[in-house]
């Protein structure tokens, strides 16, 4: 059983989408290689990332270059700094070599070997200690530069040879040139290691600084070798054959190295050298060295060994101090260059990082702003498309009075860029759509007003037609003619139901009202009386339930549409069975027919329409029955569902608890919709036997006297009359005509005695039907119209005399004879309406 929407609980149509966060899916597949298919966030990220990556690449290359320079200068500074340990090791090695040269000369003259070994041990220990300090200082630089590492390895190998050759000095088994040559190679390797640091290109100042202390170290080395030659000669007591040549060569190399130093040295360093060269200790050693020079063909003088060693030792110390000062200048320059380069690198790297972070921050802010505007615009567009615009359309569709003012929300994006303009364009589109919807609502309201006016006028005409038929039926005594009048009466009642369908189509409430509860059986009987083939309706069992008065008219209309649909699309030799029972505390009405039925797809579609009433359109007019049922069910809160039966269709109606009421305490007149069913039943009873008529008469009489009358003041009842069982619909529907009581919407009875009606003018005081639960008067619709239309009636009613009993008996005899002739006829089939045809109540879905 389908549950229709409940307007009281604020239910909405389930065909409307209420979610505005639905992702809009493109109609074709998105390709990651197509630029125009990329998401906006991807495009923004690409636009921001590509320049950033290019900048980062260039900055990385520049930073890498700067870091390489910084590393090179740092290594250069470390290599220059280790020159202190190198020069210290060279100085100790020079001391050991020069002393060893003198001891060798002494040993050749026959000196004591043990004394020589003891004199050399302190110098050898000092040299080993200097080499150990150098190795320890060189460990961090082992992986710094490959060329420096190779030079250092060569220096250590040369020193190892010196260590090995030391054992050959006391026995003097080797020549002095061989032993001193190992010392010369070790000192040369250390001097090469001292000259190894290179600051790189475009660093002439640093190159000159290295060249200065290297040249000064060579000057000191040549001076040390001259000292060794002269000391060996002084210890031996005479010069060797090659000593003069060696001394001359060494003095020439010393002058060359000194000239190179003076060329590369700064003025301050030259000044310090000049001051050192004129010091007394330096001059003493120079004067002694000049004595060893040959002049005028005379042999060079052999210098006193101890005096020469003391004077030369002092000169070497002065050169060592000068060498240390020049080396300190180079170390200071190297450290300043390294620090400056490190500072420059850090500044550049910091600037690059700052610029990159600033660019990324600005890019993120801009991208976030654009993406946020796009998300807000998308959210607003979806909200407009799926919430605001459908809600506005629904409000305009369901409007009954004046058209409400629809407020269009402003654009959520307030920027002045293209996105803001696009947001304003969306709002303009929304405003235009709402304007069009308002115009359509105005047009629809005007069309509905025309429908209502036409339906009201048609209702007035139909009511007048029914009143005229009432008069004709009361005056007619011919059964055949009376049957034709009944048919006209029935067609007029169906025309009135068609007018009420037009009112439902226009969204207007029905004018038929009650102010008292009505039994459910009477409601079913009244609904059956308003269809064409009412003879085929069988009400089998009805629960003792009463319906509130204000819903009776619309419930009768709803049931009549379903019954019309069941009889029109079922075989004429079948019956439509109606049952009403209470199930789970709620009344359930079932209408079962044995007809054409519906396909499963058509059933699903029809149940969707019944659950969610559609808007009025051309399709609704073509299928008015289903449209009227869905809207009436939604208005009353009745749940209607169509299901397939054994041979036809089953319509199930579940009445809500709000439509139920206790039984009324006063019996009132019946509505006109029960008139035709009562007349049909009366004609059927007339053709039966006397016993059957006696059994059916109380049911007919009681079934039509339980309905209230809208327009009669509350508390006014209609007493039962002890008149014969009626055999015509008019006799059933006019039990109160002789009382002159106020008629309701169905009351069309004429006067039963000659009376003069009042002037045909609208009443000055509105006709009311009592008061409601709030104490306010309940107006009776069309009471003024009926008062105005009575002016078309004759001012004086025709006199009416009661028929003679014999005439009545003759009339009944003719009626019975006509019934017997009808039963004797061979053709008893009723023509079936064409399949798919329309009727007043709608069309089978």
């Amino acid at each position: 059983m389908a549950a229709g929407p409940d307007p009281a609980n604020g239910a909405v149509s389930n065909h409307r989408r209420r979610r505005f966060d639905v992702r809009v899916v493109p109609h074709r597949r998105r390709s990651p290689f197509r630029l125009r298919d990329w998401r906006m966030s991807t495009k923004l990220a690409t636009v921001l990332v590509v320049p950033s990556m290019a900048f980062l690449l260039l900055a990385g290359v520049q930073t890498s270059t700067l870091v390489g320079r910084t590393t090179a200068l740092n290594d250069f500074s470390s290599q220059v700094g280790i020159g202190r340990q190198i020069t210290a090791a060279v100085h100790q090695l020079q001391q050991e070599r020069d002393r060893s040269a003198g001891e060798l000369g002494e040993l050749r003259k026959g000196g004591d070997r043990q004394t020589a070994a003891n004199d050399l041990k302190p110098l050898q220990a000092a040299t080993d200690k200097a080499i150990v300090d150098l190795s320890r200082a060189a460990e961090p630089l082992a992986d710094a530069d490959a060329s420096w590492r190779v030079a250092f390895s060569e220096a250590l190998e040369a020193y190892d040879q010196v260590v090995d050759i030391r054992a050959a000095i006391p026995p003097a088994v080797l020549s002095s040139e061989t032993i001193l040559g190992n010392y010369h190679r070790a000192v040369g390797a250390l001097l090469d290691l001292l000259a190894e640091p290179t600051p790189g290109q475009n660093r002439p100042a640093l190159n000159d600084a290295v060249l200065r202390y290297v040249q000064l170290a060579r000057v000191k080395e040549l001076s040390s070798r001259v000292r060794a030659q002269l000391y060996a000669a002084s210890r031996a007591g005479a010069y060797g054959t090659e000593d003069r040549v060696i001394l001359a060569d060494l003095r020439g190399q010393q002058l060359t190295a000194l000239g190179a130093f003076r060329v590369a040295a700064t003025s301050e360093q030259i000044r310090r050298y000049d001051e050192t060269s004129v010091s007394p200790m330096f001059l003493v050693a120079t004067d002694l060295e000049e004595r060893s020079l040959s002049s005028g063909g005379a042999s060079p003088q052999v210098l006193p060994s101890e005096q020469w060693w003391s004077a030369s030792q002092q000169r070497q110390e002065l050169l060592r101090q000068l060498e240390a000062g020049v080396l300190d200048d180079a170390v200071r320059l190297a450290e300043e260059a390294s620090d400056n380069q490190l500072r420059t690198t850090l500044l550049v790297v910091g600037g690059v990082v700052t610029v990159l972070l600033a660019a990324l921050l600005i890019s993120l802010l801009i991208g976030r702003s654009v993406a946020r505007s796009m998300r807000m615009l998308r959210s607003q567009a979806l909200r407009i498309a799926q919430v605001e615009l459908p809600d506005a359309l629904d409000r305009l569709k369901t409007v009954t009075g004046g058209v409400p003012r629809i407020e269009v929300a402003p654009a959520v994006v307030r920027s002045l860029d293209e996105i803001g303009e696009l947001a304003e364009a969306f709002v303009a589109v929304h405003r235009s759509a709402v304007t069009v919807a308002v115009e359509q609502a105005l047009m629809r309201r005007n069309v509905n007003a025309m429908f209502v006016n036409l339906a009201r006028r048609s209702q007035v005409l139909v009511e007048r037609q029914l009143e005229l038929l009432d008069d004709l039926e009361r005056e007619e005594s011919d059964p055949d003619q009376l049957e034709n009048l009944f048919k006209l009466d029935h067609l007029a009642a169906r025309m009135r139901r068609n007018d009420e369908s037009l009112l439902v189509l226009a969204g207007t409430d029905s004018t038929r009202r009650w102010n008292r509860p009505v039994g459910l059986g009477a409601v079913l009987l009244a609904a059956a009386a308003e269809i064409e083939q009412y003879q085929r309706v069988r009400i089998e069992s009805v629960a003792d339930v009463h319906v509130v008065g204000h819903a009776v008219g619309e419930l009768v209309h709803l049931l009549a549409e379903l019954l019309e649909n069941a009889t029109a699309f079922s075989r004429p030799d079948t019956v439509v069975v109606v049952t009403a029972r209470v199930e789970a505390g709620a009344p359930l009405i079932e209408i079962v027919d044995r007809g054409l039925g519906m396909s499963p797809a058509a059933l699903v579609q029809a149940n969707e329409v019944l659950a969610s009433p559609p808007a009025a359109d051309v399709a609704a007019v073509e299928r008015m029955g289903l449209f009227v049922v869905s809207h009436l069910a939604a208005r009353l809160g009745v749940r209607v569902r169509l299901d397939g039966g054994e041979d036809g269709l089953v319509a199930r109606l579940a009445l809500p608890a709000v439509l139920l009421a206790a039984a009324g305490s006063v019996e009132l007149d019946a509505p006109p919709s029960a008139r035709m069913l009562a007349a049909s039943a009366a004609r059927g009873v007339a053709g039966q036997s006397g016993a059957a008529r006696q059994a059916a008469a109380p049911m007919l009489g009681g079934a039509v006297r339980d309905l209230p009358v809208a327009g009669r003041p509350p508390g006014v009842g209609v007493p039962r009359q002890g008149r014969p069982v009626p055999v015509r619909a008019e006799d059933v529907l006019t039990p109160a005509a002789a009382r002159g009581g106020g008629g309701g919407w169905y009351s069309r009875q004429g006067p039963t005695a000659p009376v003069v009606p009042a002037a045909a003018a609208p009443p000055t005081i509105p006709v009311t039907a009592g008061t409601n639960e709030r104490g306010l008067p309940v107006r009776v619709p069309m009471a003024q119209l009926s008062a105005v239309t009575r002016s078309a009636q004759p001012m004086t009613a025709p006199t009416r005399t009661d028929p003679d009993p014999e005439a009545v008996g003759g009339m009944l005899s003719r009626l019975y004879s006509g019934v017997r002739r009808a039963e004797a006829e061979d053709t008893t089939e009723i023509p079936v309406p064409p399949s798919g045809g329309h009727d007043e109540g709608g069309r089978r879905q």
Side-chain angles (χ1 to χ4, degrees):
M1 184 179 299
D6 190 359
N9 297 329
V12 296
S13 301
N14 57 11
H15 67 276
R16 185 194 315 163
R17 292 189 298 175
R18 288 293 186 183
R19 301 183 303 274
F20 59 89
D21 57 347
V22 179
R23 183 177 299 275
V24 179
V25 181
H27 64 279
R28 54 186 174 80
R29 184 178 181 183
R30 181 181 292 114
S31 173
F33 302 101
R34 194 190 301 269
L35 180 60
R36 59 186 179 185
D37 292 341
W38 289 4
R39 301 284 298 178
M40 181 59 67
S41 58
T42 305
K43 293 180 180 178
L44 289 175
T46 303
V47 170
L48 298 177
V49 168
V50 170
S52 300
M53 292 299 295
F55 171 77
L56 187 60
L57 179 62
L58 296 177
V61 172
Q62 183 67 22
T63 303
S64 176
T65 303
L66 292 175
V67 170
R69 292 179 183 177
T70 303
T71 304
L73 286 177
N74 186 33
D75 294 341
F76 171 77
S77 177
S78 300
Q79 293 172 8
V80 172
I82 206 175
R84 295 188 178 95
Q85 286 79 16
I86 296 175
T87 55
V90 169
H91 181 73
Q92 294 298 328
L93 193 60
Q94 289 172 349
Q95 290 287 100
E96 181 184 351
R97 179 193 60 187
D98 296 348
R99 192 76 179 189
S100 297
E103 295 296 332
L104 286 173
E106 182 70 22
L107 289 173
R108 289 191 184 94
K109 193 173 62 172
D112 187 9
R113 297 179 181 180
Q114 187 63 35
T115 302
N118 294 333
D119 292 340
L120 292 177
K121 281 183 178 180
L123 297 177
Q124 293 173 356
T127 303
D128 292 339
K129 183 177 181 304
I131 294 298
V132 170
D133 294 339
L134 175 61
S135 300
R136 188 181 297 111
E139 287 180 0
L141 296 176
D143 298 332
D145 184 71
S147 62
W148 192 91
R149 184 170 59 252
V150 172
F152 180 72
S153 299
E154 292 177 355
L156 292 180
E157 291 176 359
Y159 179 74
D160 291 339
Q161 293 178 1
V162 170
V163 173
D164 296 337
I165 205 67
R166 286 174 179 172
I169 296 176
V173 295
L174 297 176
S175 63
S176 298
E177 290 78 7
T178 303
I179 294 175
L180 296 179
N182 289 328
Y183 280 98
H184 297 336
R185 285 193 296 272
V187 173
L190 289 175
L191 292 180
D192 292 340
L193 181 63
L194 188 66
E196 192 65 32
T198 53
Q201 299 178 354
N202 301 324
R203 298 285 180 177
L206 297 179
N207 286 325
D208 293 341
V210 174
L211 181 61
R212 284 192 290 270
Y213 73 76
V214 169
Q215 293 298 332
L216 186 59
R218 292 188 181 279
V219 170
K220 181 175 175 292
E221 165 63 13
L222 293 172
S223 177
S224 175
R225 292 184 65 178
V226 170
R227 181 183 67 170
Q229 288 295 121
L230 292 177
Y231 184 64
S234 66
R235 294 290 298 273
Y239 291 102
T241 56
E242 296 181 355
D243 289 344
R244 295 181 181 179
V245 177
I246 293 173
L247 287 173
D249 183 58
L250 290 175
R251 289 189 178 98
Q253 293 179 10
Q254 184 181 10
L255 292 175
T256 302
L258 182 59
F261 168 73
R262 296 181 71 90
V263 170
T266 64
S267 58
E268 177 64 22
Q269 292 173 351
I270 294 175
R271 184 187 62 78
R272 283 186 290 175
Y273 180 81
D274 292 341
E275 291 179 353
T276 302
S277 64
V278 297
S279 64
M281 291 181 293
F282 194 92
L283 291 176
V284 171
T286 303
D287 291 341
L288 290 175
E289 185 178 354
E290 288 179 353
R291 294 180 189 177
S292 65
L293 295 176
S294 58
S295 58
S299 298
Q301 182 180 357
V302 178
L303 301 176
S305 61
E306 294 300 330
Q307 185 181 4
W308 168 245
W309 179 258
S310 178
S312 63
Q313 181 69 15
Q314 291 177 358
R315 186 176 67 176
Q316 287 298 111
E317 288 295 332
L318 292 175
L319 291 177
R320 174 81 179 93
Q321 294 176 4
L322 183 62
E323 180 188 38
V326 175
L327 183 60
D328 290 341
D329 294 339
V331 171
R332 185 172 57 255
L333 287 176
E335 289 178 351
E336 289 179 355
S338 178
D339 293 341
N340 292 335
Q341 185 63 41
L342 179 61
R343 190 180 301 109
T344 302
T345 302
L346 291 178
L347 290 176
V348 172
V349 171
V352 168
V353 173
T354 303
V355 172
L356 183 61
L357 290 178
L360 289 178
L361 180 61
I362 295 173
S363 302
L364 288 176
L365 291 177
I366 295 175
R368 181 182 178 185
S369 176
V370 175
R372 180 173 178 271
S373 299
M374 294 298 294
R375 286 195 299 268
M376 293 174 62
L377 181 59
R378 176 182 179 272
S379 177
Q380 185 184 23
L382 290 177
R383 188 183 300 108
I384 290 173
Q386 298 181 0
V387 176
E388 295 180 1
L389 193 56
D391 286 344
L393 294 178
D394 290 343
R395 290 172 58 189
L396 294 174
K397 286 179 182 178
T398 58
V399 65
T400 56
V403 178
R405 179 180 179 83
I406 305 299
E407 295 292 339
V408 177
V412 295
V413 181
R414 302 297 181 86
S415 60
L416 300 179
D417 56 355
E418 289 80 359
I419 299 178
E421 295 175 355
L422 183 59
E424 293 293 340
F426 271 114
V427 173
V429 171
H430 185 198
R431 189 177 293 109
S432 299
V434 170
T435 302
V436 173
V438 169
E439 293 177 355
Q440 290 181 353
L442 290 173
M443 184 183 302
R444 187 163 51 251
R445 188 185 67 171
N446 295 334
V447 172
N448 291 343
M450 289 189 294
F451 278 149
V452 171
N453 292 333
L454 292 175
R456 298 296 189 197
R457 291 186 180 184
S458 179
Q459 278 186 321
V460 173
L461 296 177
V462 170
E463 292 294 337
R464 292 179 59 185
Q465 182 180 0
L466 290 173
E467 291 176 359
L468 181 59
L469 288 174
D470 285 342
D471 295 337
L472 294 176
E473 289 169 0
R474 278 192 293 268
E475 298 298 333
E476 183 61 43
S477 59
D478 186 7
D480 296 332
Q481 194 67 21
L482 186 59
E483 184 178 1
N484 293 330
L485 291 177
F486 284 166
K487 291 180 180 179
L488 291 176
D489 194 305
H490 179 72
L491 291 176
R494 294 178 62 201
M495 290 173 60
R496 181 184 59 195
R497 182 161 56 88
N498 191 61
D499 293 337
E500 292 179 352
S501 297
L502 292 177
L503 293 178
V504 174
L505 184 65
T508 305
D509 295 337
S510 175
T511 58
R512 298 193 292 176
R513 301 277 182 172
W514 279 268
N515 58 0
R516 288 291 183 270
V518 179
L520 184 58
V523 172
L524 296 174
L525 190 64
E530 292 196 1
I531 67 173
E532 181 179 4
Q533 303 180 37
Y534 54 87
Q535 305 94 334
R536 296 170 50 200
V537 177
R538 296 293 182 269
I539 303 176
E540 292 188 348
S541 61
V542 180
D544 187 12
V545 177
H546 288 75
V547 182
V548 293
H550 65 83
V552 170
E554 294 179 345
L555 185 59
V556 168
H557 191 181
L558 188 153
L559 292 169
E561 295 292 346
L562 293 175
L563 291 173
E564 185 79 40
N565 196 61
T567 56
F569 291 93
S570 60
R571 296 191 304 273
D573 57 344
T574 61
V575 295
V576 176
V577 179
V578 182
T579 59
R581 65 180 183 275
V582 177
E583 189 174 280
L588 178 64
I589 302 175
E590 290 188 356
I591 301 175
V592 182
D593 65 73
R594 298 179 179 272
L596 301 177
M598 299 175 67
S599 64
L603 274 176
V604 172
Q605 183 180 3
N607 286 323
E608 289 179 355
V609 173
L610 292 174
S612 301
D617 53 7
V618 178
V621 176
E622 293 178 354
R623 308 168 68 178
M624 187 180 296
L626 192 61
F627 175 85
V628 170
V629 169
S630 63
H631 278 264
L632 289 177
R635 189 180 300 174
L636 297 175
V638 177
R639 293 173 304 196
V640 182
R641 180 177 178 83
L642 300 179
D643 295 316
E646 297 180 358
D647 297 325
L649 203 65
V650 179
R652 294 185 174 89
L653 293 84
L655 303 183
V658 294
L659 296 184
L660 304 182
S665 59
V666 181
E667 293 186 2
L668 302 178
D669 293 339
S673 56
R675 169 181 56 194
M676 299 310 298
L677 183 61
S680 172
R683 289 195 298 273
V685 171
Q688 297 175 359
S689 63
R693 289 198 304 271
Q694 294 289 338
M699 180 192 70
L700 293 175
V704 298
R705 288 200 300 271
D706 292 336
L707 298 181
V709 179
R712 181 175 290 115
V716 179
V718 180
R720 299 179 181 272
Q721 296 182 0
R723 55 172 293 178
V725 176
V727 294
R728 297 192 305 108
E730 184 63 22
D731 295 332
V732 177
L733 297 175
T734 57
R739 297 190 300 272
W745 55 268
Y746 57 84
S747 178
R748 300 185 303 275
Q749 67 272 21
T752 57
V755 295
V756 179
T764 57
I765 300 176
V767 179
T768 62
T771 57
N772 57 15
E773 58 184 5
R774 297 183 180 180
L776 300 177
V778 178
R779 298 188 60 185
V780 179
M782 297 187 66
Q784 282 77 4
L785 292 177
S786 61
V788 174
T789 54
R790 287 196 186 94
S791 61
Q793 299 177 356
M795 296 300 296
T796 59
T799 59
R800 177 177 179 180
T801 58
D802 293 334
D804 185 74
E806 295 180 357
V808 173
M811 180 181 63
L812 291 178
S813 299
R814 291 192 298 272
L815 175 60
Y816 295 155
S817 62
V819 172
R820 286 193 295 271
R821 288 196 306 270
E823 290 176 348
E825 291 179 356
D826 295 333
T827 58
T828 59
E829 295 182 357
I830 302 175
V832 181
S835 177
H838 296 274
D839 56 21
E840 294 84 358
R843 186 178 64 182
R844 172 77 66 154
Q845 305 302 320

